[in-house]
Amino acid sequence: MTDSTQAGRRPSAAPGHAGGQRSTGGDPAVTAEVPGDAPGDPASGSAGDARGGSTVVDGAPRPRRPRPRLDADWVRRNGVFVALALLILVNVVITPNFVSEGTLRLQLIQVAPVLIVALGMALVIGTQGIDLSVGAVMALAAALIPLYIGYGAAIAILIAVLAGCVSGALAGSLIARIGVQPIVATLGLMVAGRGVANLIGGEIKSIREPGIVLLGSGSLLGIPYVVLIAAAVSVVVWFAVRRTLYGRRLVAVGGNQRAAELAGLPVKRVLITTYVVCGLLAALAGVLLAARSQASDPTRLGLLVELSAITAVVIGGTPLSGGQVRVAGTIAGALLMQLITATLIFHNIPDSTAQVVQAVIVIAAVYVQLGRRRSGRPGRSGRKASP
Amino acid sequence: MTSSAAPTSPRANQGVPSTRARLARLAQRQGALVILVVAVLAATLAFDSFGTPGNLTNIGLQASFLAVVALGMTFVIMTGGIDLSVGSVFALGGVLAAWAAQYGTWAALLVPLLVCGAIGLVQGLIIARGGLPPFIVTLAGLLFARGVLLLISDEGATTYKVPAESAFRALAQGSLFGIGLPIWLMIVAFAVGGIVLHRTSYGATVLAIGGQEDAADLMGLPVARTKVIAYVTSGLLAGFGGTLMASYTSSGVTVLGVGMELEAIAAVVLGGTLLTGGAGTVLGTLVGVLLLQVIMNVINQVGSLNSNWQAVVSGTILLIVVTVQQWLAKVQRR
């Protein structure tokens, strides 16, 4: 984990623009995530430790590392972790047999696909975008597996995941090159993608290929493969956001696209890459779900997953207005949503009440998150109150 | 909510627009209408059964439910917001209407409007006063309305039937001059909506907020109140759409309205309304809804195609239309 990636400094500013475009009008959140990275700065300290709310003074060589203080702001940033810990404690006390390997294993298996989708969604939301097509991509990937299973599990999975990449590339191209709004582009893909999945998938097909079955229900050293894959994806996404040039650029593009363009960042490439990654992860989640249920059901698989994923990302503290990606928060958010649902099921509380409770929790969580940054309309600049 | 990846363009030059810009604007506004006319003409020539009065009124009838919902969505999108809860609210309105029908026709009409209007009111207040993103608030509203629906229908197990003798059935099953009442209601709703949005100060405020919220605020326009009214309107109309559906099917079907919010958004976008708010027409939304319904009808006419083609074609057309819209917007800026 060296900072050697930091050596790849940004390319020189685009010709024609006066150098030293110091955009101070950016989002304060960006500076909180990207330590002083104004053009022409010396290489700043390691990325990823600027957790604090210390907004970097523009042009400062390196951020101050604030001491964590227990105040409202701290709660806002870490509320999701606190809530998760509390809910686990409550369950330990009130739910019989909660502390058992079986429960833990089941919860982790349940959350894995949603978590994988949510991580891709977090990247997209970090670029100030949104991807409504993930559920359809999951269904599409799952529908492709039975078609190509004759060539072996590996080929079938590869084709399924590639389909996700193609869908992501299409979304990214529409958004980055043509300038279609993310919500519209991915909405169109969602409708069309679900249709294509139904066309090629048809009715529910069972998948009995041993390789797929092993992937869905096998374990390594007692840990299910599905959970291992979700953990691996988490680590890779965290690393990409925190320690790579790509992650830097993603956050910069999300924080202020105009400024990123002026600074000479490859904005279009970053956007397209992000949507491709999101599509890839959604397809992977679809494959895992199909493997777990040993069937592909194009009509129902992945239905409303986009909403669960967005919720997990948002209660994890990633603002919809972009410029920040909170990987740990997203993981906690997905776990929290899963545990809320599970808790209600443990105590035989019906589905209807569960939905109402979830709705209230989402609103409350976002309200707490927004204490300092009131963005009435993400995607619009100039609506954010200065801190 | 719109998280536009494109930098928000400055408004088109404020002077007199060039002929080319004007043509581009016309195409942007009326592009869906052109596609609709071409599609209807082509379908009439291709299928004997398409152009029959019976089939055309059938299209109108099927369109009326979505159209009412999309009208409310138009108001919200014009303020620069979005309302994801309409599908659930539509279903909730239908179940409430079917349940209330046993207490009389007025109850069947008013109960869903009251409840759905209240949901819209709460959402509007949280968005306008609390400053939360519309996308998230109405997403929660989607969950909430669906939850309430399950609560009152015993986890979806109960289907309320409208009593056979109830006058409420006439609302969607009756007809006037040989044309179904829902079609008339749709026409009236859009006429009123058009007048409100394009001919009243309220409508001007809606467009001003969508165009540039801060500027509208600084001008002293009642931003919060206007937004709240828009969300209440959307809730009321979604509830009314569900009420119509309950009258049409004589029962409260609990599984309706899933994905309807996306259909409504698609119709609004097809109609040339920008998701960033501040531009668009009510008539465009109606055209967008009709276009979606015509596609569905044509796919059914072909017969050899299964209904999944409808989703593929609708999605593709949506993507093509927004791509062309972007290109036209570029032409306008030149």
Side-chain angles (χ1 to χ4, degrees):
Chain A
M1 292 248 183
T2 58
D3 277 335
S4 60
T5 45
Q6 298 300 326
R9 301 306 304 155
R10 60 173 67 239
S12 57
H17 292 296
Q21 281 274 1
R22 294 278 169 96
S23 151
T24 46
D27 187 329
V30 186
T31 37
E33 289 286 297
V34 183
D37 195 24
D41 272 358
S44 44
S46 69
D49 56 1
R51 273 304 246 302
S54 76
T55 45
V56 180
V57 182
D58 189 41
R62 96 180 25 182
R64 285 170 297 123
R65 280 183 75 167
R67 236 185 259 116
R69 283 216 324 273
L70 206 96
D71 55 7
D73 204 40
W74 185 90
V75 171
R76 205 165 291 136
R77 279 197 316 277
N78 299 302
V80 67
F81 302 105
V82 176
L84 185 60
L86 278 177
L87 191 57
I88 291 174
L89 268 179
V90 165
N91 268 308
V92 167
V93 175
I94 65 166
T95 308
N97 304 329
F98 179 73
V99 190
S100 70
E101 198 189 333
T103 310
L104 180 71
R105 174 190 292 253
L106 185 67
Q107 293 310 315
L108 288 177
I109 288 177
Q110 291 275 7
V111 82
V114 179
L115 173 58
I116 292 171
V117 176
L119 287 165
M121 186 69 78
L123 295 176
V124 166
I125 289 179
T127 67
Q128 215 183 84
I130 197 128
D131 190 346
L132 298 179
S133 68
V134 288
V137 169
M138 285 169 80
L140 184 63
L144 283 167
I145 290 182
L147 287 187
Y148 293 97
I149 202 71
Y151 301 101
I155 300 283
I157 291 172
L158 192 68
I159 287 175
V161 170
L162 271 178
C165 293
V166 170
S167 163
L170 199 59
S173 305
L174 282 166
I175 291 158
R177 293 195 189 285
I178 300 173
V180 178
Q181 291 166 320
I183 190 169
V184 184
T186 55
L187 173 68
L189 276 174
M190 169 183 172
V191 175
R194 181 71 64 177
V196 172
N198 273 319
L199 280 178
I200 60 171
E203 66 290 348
I204 303 174
K205 291 195 176 108
S206 69
I207 306 166
R208 290 266 176 266
E209 210 274 338
I212 299 272
V213 173
L214 182 72
L215 177 71
S217 13
S219 304
L220 184 70
L221 307 176
I223 306 171
Y225 283 121
V226 182
V227 177
L228 281 174
I229 291 170
V233 170
S234 304
V235 171
V236 170
V237 170
W238 179 86
F239 185 80
V241 170
R242 288 292 192 183
R243 307 267 168 192
T244 65
L245 188 60
Y246 163 74
R248 270 292 181 85
R249 288 171 168 173
L250 184 150
V251 170
V253 168
N256 190 335
Q257 202 180 324
R258 192 91 193 92
E261 263 167 18
L262 293 175
L265 295 185
V267 172
K268 285 176 182 167
R269 209 171 67 209
V270 169
L271 282 174
I272 292 174
T273 308
T274 307
Y275 282 92
V276 168
V277 169
C278 186
L280 184 150
L281 291 178
L284 179 64
V287 169
L288 292 181
L289 260 182
R292 210 177 69 201
S293 57
Q294 294 174 23
S296 84
D297 177 1
T299 328
R300 309 249 326 268
L301 196 143
L303 211 59
L304 293 183
V305 165
E306 51 277 349
L307 301 185
S308 318
I310 293 167
T311 308
V313 173
V314 171
I315 62 176
T318 304
L320 276 172
S321 44
Q324 243 182 348
V325 182
R326 310 204 49 185
V327 178
T330 301
I331 297 169
L335 285 170
L336 181 63
M337 296 302 289
Q338 170 62 34
L339 199 52
I340 289 167
T341 314
T343 307
L344 295 166
I345 291 171
F346 290 149
H347 296 277
N348 295 324
I349 291 166
D351 212 20
S352 52
T353 320
Q355 288 204 331
V356 174
V357 170
Q358 273 190 342
V360 174
I361 287 174
V362 171
I363 295 281
V366 177
Y367 189 78
V368 170
Q369 301 282 344
L370 278 181
R372 200 182 52 173
R373 304 177 58 253
R374 286 283 165 90
S375 60
R377 300 179 58 179
R380 284 288 178 119
S381 52
R383 278 279 304 165
K384 290 146 195 157
S386 47
Chain B
M1 97 117 234
T2 57
S3 45
S4 168
T8 41
S9 62
R11 284 256 155 268
N13 52 342
Q14 297 301 324
V16 182
S18 65
T19 321
R20 194 166 146 186
R22 232 183 270 152
L23 276 176
R25 177 170 299 181
L26 191 73
Q28 192 174 345
R29 289 270 167 87
Q30 306 305 339
L33 187 59
V34 174
I35 299 174
L36 178 67
V37 170
V38 169
V40 168
L41 284 176
T44 310
L45 293 174
F47 307 103
D48 295 340
S49 52
F50 182 86
T52 57
N55 189 47
L56 291 179
T57 49
N58 185 28
I59 291 177
L61 198 65
Q62 294 301 330
S64 62
F65 308 107
L66 176 62
V68 174
V69 176
L71 177 63
M73 180 72 83
T74 311
F75 274 77
V76 169
I77 287 180
M78 292 230 187
T79 66
I82 199 146
D83 189 348
L84 298 178
S85 69
V86 290
S88 295
V89 171
F90 176 91
L92 178 63
V95 171
L96 283 170
W99 167 79
Q102 57 189 319
Y103 303 108
T105 307
W106 282 111
L109 286 173
L110 291 176
V111 170
L113 286 184
L114 276 174
V115 175
C116 298
I119 291 176
L121 177 68
V122 171
Q123 292 187 140
L125 286 172
I126 295 174
I127 291 163
R129 299 262 172 218
L132 268 67
F135 192 88
I136 292 294
V137 174
T138 56
L139 183 60
L142 179 155
L143 292 172
F144 181 85
R146 190 62 65 178
V148 173
L149 163 74
L150 290 172
L151 272 176
I152 59 171
S153 65
D154 192 20
E155 303 305 311
T158 312
T159 305
Y160 296 105
K161 287 258 185 292
V162 177
E165 69 284 357
S166 174
F168 174 62
R169 291 183 174 218
L171 177 70
Q173 294 173 15
S175 59
L176 188 67
F177 310 125
I179 293 177
L181 275 182
I183 299 179
W184 289 112
L185 288 168
M186 169 173 82
I187 293 168
V188 169
F190 272 80
V192 172
I195 290 167
V196 168
L197 206 48
H198 303 302
R199 293 282 178 273
T200 65
S201 62
Y202 172 78
T205 310
V206 167
L207 286 167
I209 291 173
Q212 186 61 278
E213 194 174 320
D214 295 346
D217 205 9
L218 291 171
M219 281 161 70
L221 295 172
V223 171
R225 195 176 72 208
T226 307
K227 277 185 168 182
V228 171
I229 292 172
Y231 285 94
V232 171
T233 306
S234 181
L236 284 173
L237 283 168
F240 182 64
T243 308
L244 270 182
M245 187 54 102
S247 165
Y248 185 67
T249 57
S250 304
S251 60
V253 185
T254 51
V255 293
L256 287 175
V258 177
M260 193 170 199
E261 58 279 347
L262 300 171
E263 277 180 45
I265 294 167
V268 172
V269 172
L270 280 172
T273 297
L274 298 176
L275 268 186
T276 43
T281 59
V282 165
L283 203 60
T285 299
L286 184 58
V287 171
V289 172
L290 289 174
L291 183 57
L292 289 175
Q293 290 297 328
V294 166
I295 292 168
M296 197 143 105
N297 193 278
V298 168
I299 302 266
N300 288 339
Q301 300 269 351
V302 173
S304 63
L305 295 173
N306 69 24
S307 58
N308 294 318
W309 278 100
Q310 188 230 327
V312 179
V313 175
S314 300
T316 312
I317 287 196
L318 177 67
L319 291 177
I320 292 170
V321 167
V322 292
T323 305
V324 172
Q325 276 181 3
Q326 281 297 326
W327 177 74
L328 289 168
K330 267 194 194 129
V331 171
Q332 275 184 58
R333 282 201 293 275
R334 265 185 221 138

